[in-house]
Amino acid sequence: PVSGVTLTAQPPTGQVAEGDWLVLLCSVATGTGPLSFSWHRQGSPAPLATGPRYELRPAQQRDSGHYHCTATNGDSAANSSSLGVTVLGERDPRTW
């Protein structure tokens, strides 16, 4: 069975300025067979994407929310814990 599904973010806080990139990564501690991944956001019934990596680029304020990934090998599936993503207001161009 699939277990130990972990979601990590770059940057690790899950907080970025609007217009920046946020990368979410899904990994599995144990599981046999070919693995597939799907990405989900709280309140959205359909998967957002598939694959072990999900990128918000450029991140928009509407992307804020709680995300998790699901890993499956066809026989079993497991979810990661939820990660809160916060997209802050537009970055001040003077700080670029």
Side-chain angles (χ1 to χ4, degrees), residues 2 5 28 32-38 69-79:
V2 177
V5 180
V28 173
T32 56
L35 295 171
S36 61
F37 300 89
S38 59
C69 63
T70 301
T72 181
N73 65 0
D75 293 326
S76 67
N79 293 328

Side-chain angles (χ1 to χ4, degrees), residues 18-94:
E18 188 173 35
D20 283 352
W21 285 17
L22 176 70
V23 178
L24 302 177
L25 302 167
C26 193
S27 59
V28 173
T30 59
T32 56
L35 295 171
S36 61
F37 300 89
S38 59
W39 291 94
H40 307 270
R41 183 169 147 197
Q42 183 179 18
S44 178
L48 300 169
T50 58
R53 179 183 178 104
Y54 182 59
E55 297 181 12
L56 297 170
R57 57 179 206 177
Q60 304 294 316
Q61 286 187 307
R62 67 176 178 268
D63 294 323
S64 293
H66 287 85
Y67 291 77
H68 75 273
C69 63
T70 301
T72 181
N73 65 0
D75 293 326
S76 67
N79 293 328
S80 71
S81 57
S82 179
L83 174 76
V85 168
T86 304
V87 181
L88 304 171
E90 192 170 348
R91 186 168 59 175
D92 186 341
R94 293 172 296 184

